[in-house]
Amino acid sequence: MPDDFVASVCPHDCPSACSLEVERLGGAEIGRVRGAAAHPYTAGVICAKVGRYRERVHHPDRLTTPLIRVGAKGEGRFAPIPWDEALDLLADRFAGAARADGPEAVWPYYYSGNMGQVQQKSILRLRRLMGYSKMARTICSSIAKAGFKAGTGALRGTDPREIADSDLVVIWGTNAVATQIHVMELARKARDGRGARIVVVDTYRTRTAALADLHLMPRPGTDGALACGIMQVLFAERLVDRDYMDRYTRGGAALEDHLKTRTAAWASAITGVPESDIVAFARLYGRTRRSFLRLGIGFTRHRNGAVNMHAASCLPALTGAWTERGGGALCMSSDVFGLDTGVIEAADLPDDGARTLDMSRIGDVLAGDAAALCGGPPVTAMLVQNCNPADVAPESGKVRAGLARDDLFLCVHEQFMTETAKLADLVLPATTFLENDDLFTSYGHTFLQATRPVIRPVGESRSNHDLNTDLAKRLGAVHPSLEMSARDMVAACLRGSGIDADPDTLADGHWVNRQLPFETAHYLDGFAHPDGRFRFDPEWAEAGPEHAGLPTLPDHLETAEAAAADLPFRLVTAPARNFLNTSFTETATSRKAEKGRPTVMVHPDDASSLGVSDGDPVRLSNRRGAVTLRARLFDGLNRGVLVAESIWPGAAYPEGRGINSLTGGDPVAPAGGAAFHDIAVSLERA
């Protein structure tokens, strides 16, 4: 690459973990950002929002100095404070909380605003060193993981680059144009080079669905029924590979008998997908050996999401598509990396037995719910990194009320004054990925990558690693990891994982492919269960404690939030193309691309019956809260279904609270999670 471009890696919560080339303008400023053309997966293509990263790094609202609250909580009045004073205050308040109620009263809360192994997980080292409360990382993918592993036993599958070798690409439950751009690029390559068909399964006509040869549009939360209807046709029309099933699967005979009543007509009545389309797709899938099933997370964000994922993942185990190059399935590639992050997390220390609080239930935790608190003390001090729970977490009205408690000391380490930061007692400026060292895996491809700083930290911003290290020292912790830099952590992690790679070489725009051999990636040497077989009859009790009531075979599980006469609509809060959760909502270009305000898609017939016109303000409400946004009339969804592409910050709504005011925080079977797309609401003209 030219001398003025520097290698880097996108850190955001996206499967692609794109390899980047960033223009460096001196030591403190960046210019253009582009995809690395030589990277085997990125192949020079990145999303527009990351391509505009200069706008975010050098935004005038970027936090550049520590701030202390000087007004009432939530009032938004802060004053500068020196770093040393800020760290002393933070350490003092954490120590005070631990003295009063024990160390479990402190809850480090984080997620994937930065997916780098060092910058994301250094907070776990702080937690372990001090004995603070643990956190169950349920908010995004725990439902999908449980569903996919129920069949395969592992979070891995076909190399995604094999999509280009497929004759049929099925994109199920993900809007790849907006959230996995490389999947769409590979699907187009298969279409152009091999004449492959592209089929999309999604609850509305996304930009991805609009480009497909066939779009199956099930009602929200009915994907399991759709999968069962497809499987019944495969059995009935002898499109299953019985030799493959006999060798590699378990429970096939019981499944075939069970599906006799799960016909395409039965599935159509539940899903709203025409019976003829279900049959046509089943025949296409059953007769196309090289079929690649790219399973997204979106269709699992329902109370029956794990069951739906498992049902969909059964398809290649019926047809034997796993045996073919360009065949099989992928949900996540997380398990291929084999990365030992023990040095980052101080995992050499014995387990302290601290309670584990569910991050998706943060509203209940902060409200003092005894079950959510696992019978332990209230949370009276928090450090939030890489996350914005006031907008992102379910039941955000309850979350905000909890964060605003006068007896809760809240420190937020952030790049911008988010809705969570506005509720903080102490706000500390954080670096972006361009300002620190790190190591990156991916959940959408198999390449291990590393970074070094492209520019100096903006203002007085500090990295997660540095903050957590300094805080631990002030709290009296002693551990060898506290003397290690982020780069030292990267090197130690590589050594501990048995990976023969130098951090500097990786950071110079190289990578290590951790993909498994073809036979292992395609499970031809056995699935990752003790007997080596795919399970049509999953052992849900192995997946998590909330397994009661889950079906023993693929089925439609009716656990959706109950609709009623006063709550007749199903709301899906899908990702917005120009935002990533609440990242990029601060940039003017992204906001303009999202029409400058929150909208909700409404079927024209539903709108007509309510006297709503395109662009009208409408009010969505349920027992949890209410939000006002603008109607966007759209015929690419089923009647009774609403889609709000989000997540806009709460300040963008008249009520001051965002779309997750409407989302439930009850744990999803079997291992917890949030049902972001499973919401019953009313709609009326505001």
Side-chain angles (χ1 to χ4, degrees):
M1 71 184 75
D3 291 342
D4 53 348
F5 277 82
V6 181
S8 194
V9 179
C10 179
H12 287 278
D13 191 359
C14 165
S16 294
C18 289
S19 182
L20 304 177
E21 296 175 356
V22 182
E23 185 179 25
R24 180 162 56 191
L25 307 175
E29 189 175 347
I30 69 163
R32 293 167 291 169
V33 179
R34 65 194 186 193
H39 190 274
Y41 190 73
T42 303
V45 177
I46 60 172
C47 68
K49 53 187 174 286
V50 172
R52 302 188 295 262
Y53 219 85
R54 173 182 167 83
E55 185 180 5
R56 190 167 196 273
V57 173
H58 303 299
H59 196 289
D61 293 338
R62 176 89 184 265
L63 294 171
T64 59
T65 187
L67 300 171
I68 187 170
R69 176 172 61 86
V70 294
K73 271 204 172 184
E75 188 179 342
R77 292 175 55 209
F78 295 89
I81 180 175
W83 258 106
D84 282 343
E85 289 184 27
L87 286 170
D88 287 343
L89 173 63
L90 179 56
D92 180 69
R93 296 303 296 267
F94 274 25
R99 283 194 302 271
D101 294 302
E104 289 182 328
V106 182
W107 191 19
Y109 191 96
Y110 76 105
Y111 203 59
S112 297
N114 185 327
M115 294 285 283
Q117 296 296 306
V118 176
Q119 303 302 338
Q120 182 190 51
K121 294 180 178 177
S122 66
I123 197 170
L124 297 177
R125 182 170 68 256
L126 172 69
R127 189 221 66 76
R128 197 173 188 99
L129 288 167
M130 304 310 302
Y132 297 151
S133 284
K134 300 174 184 175
M135 189 189 78
R137 290 168 42 91
T138 61
I139 201 165
C140 176
S141 58
S142 60
I143 308 168
K145 290 175 180 177
F148 192 77
K149 290 179 69 175
T152 64
L155 289 175
R156 56 177 171 83
T158 304
D159 187 328
R161 293 174 296 165
E162 289 186 35
I163 291 173
D165 300 311
S166 299
D167 295 322
L168 173 62
V169 182
V170 183
I171 302 172
W172 195 318
T174 181
N175 183 6
V177 168
T179 62
Q180 294 194 58
I181 190 170
H182 299 92
V183 168
M184 205 62 216
E185 291 293 316
L186 289 162
R188 285 169 167 163
K189 186 175 180 180
R191 174 191 274 167
D192 294 342
R194 302 178 57 83
R197 303 285 299 280
I198 300 174
V199 176
V200 169
V201 183
D202 213 318
T203 54
Y204 69 112
R205 191 172 66 239
T206 63
R207 293 174 177 87
T208 307
L211 296 172
D213 298 295
L214 175 64
H215 174 206
L216 305 179
M217 192 167 68
R219 298 183 180 108
T222 64
D223 300 77
L226 176 61
C228 287
I230 294 165
M231 288 190 282
Q232 194 277 333
V233 175
L234 293 176
F235 275 115
E237 300 197 3
R238 300 181 180 179
L239 296 173
V240 299
D241 184 335
R242 293 190 181 275
D243 289 340
Y244 177 89
M245 291 174 62
D246 288 344
R247 183 176 178 185
Y248 287 106
T249 71
R250 188 186 87 174
L255 176 65
E256 182 175 10
D257 185 63
H258 164 73
L259 290 173
K260 288 177 180 176
T261 59
R262 271 62 174 174
T263 63
W266 169 87
S268 178
I270 295 170
T271 65
V273 178
E275 179 182 355
S276 59
D277 284 354
I278 297 173
V279 173
F281 171 72
R283 289 171 176 166
L284 174 63
Y285 187 83
R287 294 168 181 168
T288 308
R289 190 76 172 182
R290 287 194 176 198
S291 55
F292 194 111
L293 197 60
R294 188 58 177 93
L295 297 165
I297 296 174
F299 79 104
T300 69
R301 287 175 173 155
H302 297 267
R303 288 168 177 80
N304 59 3
V307 172
N308 293 343
M309 171 61 80
H310 173 254
S313 75
C314 290
L315 295 179
L318 286 182
T319 66
W322 284 110
T323 62
E324 303 292 328
R325 180 168 182 82
L330 180 67
C331 173
M332 297 180 195
S333 58
S334 309
D335 285 354
V336 307
F337 288 95
L339 206 60
D340 182 350
T341 59
V343 66
I344 301 172
E345 304 175 33
D348 59 307
L349 298 176
D351 187 359
D352 53 24
R355 65 181 174 183
T356 301
L357 303 177
D358 185 343
M359 70 178 306
S360 296
R361 300 193 66 194
I362 180 175
D364 288 332
V365 168
L366 295 181
D369 180 276
L373 288 167
C374 305
V379 170
T380 57
M382 292 181 70
L383 170 62
V384 175
Q385 286 183 329
N386 295 346
C387 196
N388 180 17
D391 274 332
V392 171
E395 295 194 66
S396 61
K398 187 183 291 186
V399 174
R400 287 167 182 254
L403 293 173
R405 281 172 27 207
D406 287 330
D407 67 332
L408 172 71
F409 180 81
L410 175 63
C411 175
V412 176
H413 188 207
E414 254 294 355
Q415 296 158 4
F416 291 90
M417 188 60 74
T418 63
E419 300 290 328
T420 305
K422 291 176 184 176
L423 294 165
D425 299 284
L426 188 64
V427 179
L428 303 176
T431 54
T432 68
F433 73 101
L434 296 167
E435 300 152 52
N436 42 243
D437 298 90
D438 220 326
L439 183 65
F440 291 90
T441 60
S442 167
Y443 60 99
H445 63 69
T446 59
F447 294 92
L448 183 68
Q449 304 175 88
T451 61
R452 64 162 65 92
V454 175
I455 57 173
R456 296 187 295 273
V458 172
E460 298 179 45
S461 59
R462 295 189 185 180
S463 72
N464 294 351
H465 168 80
D466 289 344
L467 169 60
N468 293 322
T469 297
D470 290 346
L471 177 58
K473 288 180 177 180
R474 272 178 164 79
L475 288 163
V478 178
H479 191 265
S481 65
L482 298 179
E483 306 307 319
M484 298 173 69
S485 68
R487 188 197 176 284
D488 294 336
M489 288 283 181
V490 173
C493 187
L494 291 170
R495 286 195 304 271
S497 305
I499 298 172
D500 185 15
D502 175 72
D504 289 330
T505 302
L506 284 181
D508 281 338
H510 299 275
W511 42 81
V512 176
N513 188 2
R514 301 292 286 171
Q515 178 60 16
L516 301 170
F518 181 92
E519 291 74 14
T520 305
H522 286 249
Y523 297 103
L524 299 182
D525 51 9
F527 286 89
H529 291 298
D531 61 2
R533 293 178 175 271
F534 182 91
R535 294 177 176 176
F536 294 121
D537 52 348
E539 302 284 351
W540 289 116
E542 296 176 358
E546 306 289 337
H547 58 83
L550 296 184
T552 56
L553 290 164
D555 211 340
H556 173 61
L557 179 64
E558 185 53 72
T559 57
E561 184 162 275
D566 59 338
L567 300 171
F569 288 94
R570 313 297 311 180
L571 173 63
V572 172
T573 57
R577 185 175 189 177
N578 293 281
F579 302 153
L580 207 169
N581 293 319
T582 55
S583 294
F584 301 96
T585 59
E586 66 282 334
T587 60
T589 305
S590 286
R591 294 173 75 99
K592 181 179 179 181
E594 293 299 325
K595 312 304 181 188
R597 63 191 182 190
T599 63
V600 60
M601 301 178 197
V602 186
H603 193 282
D605 292 344
D606 287 331
S608 177
S609 67
L610 294 168
V612 171
S613 300
D614 194 61
D616 281 352
V618 293
R619 181 179 172 87
L620 307 183
S621 61
N622 58 18
R623 62 177 176 79
R624 303 180 191 99
V627 296
T628 301
L629 56 177
R630 298 281 175 164
R632 176 187 159 200
L633 272 54
F634 181 58
D635 64 1
L637 37 67
N638 287 300
R639 287 203 65 179
V641 176
L642 307 173
V643 176
E645 292 183 334
S646 49
I647 302 173
W648 286 85
Y653 298 83
E655 296 84 3
R657 290 191 297 271
I659 199 70
N660 281 317
S661 300
L662 307 172
T663 309
D666 48 306
V668 174
F676 287 111
H677 302 337
D678 186 351
I679 315 168
V681 297
S682 64
L683 181 148
E684 60 185 358
R685 197 176 187 282

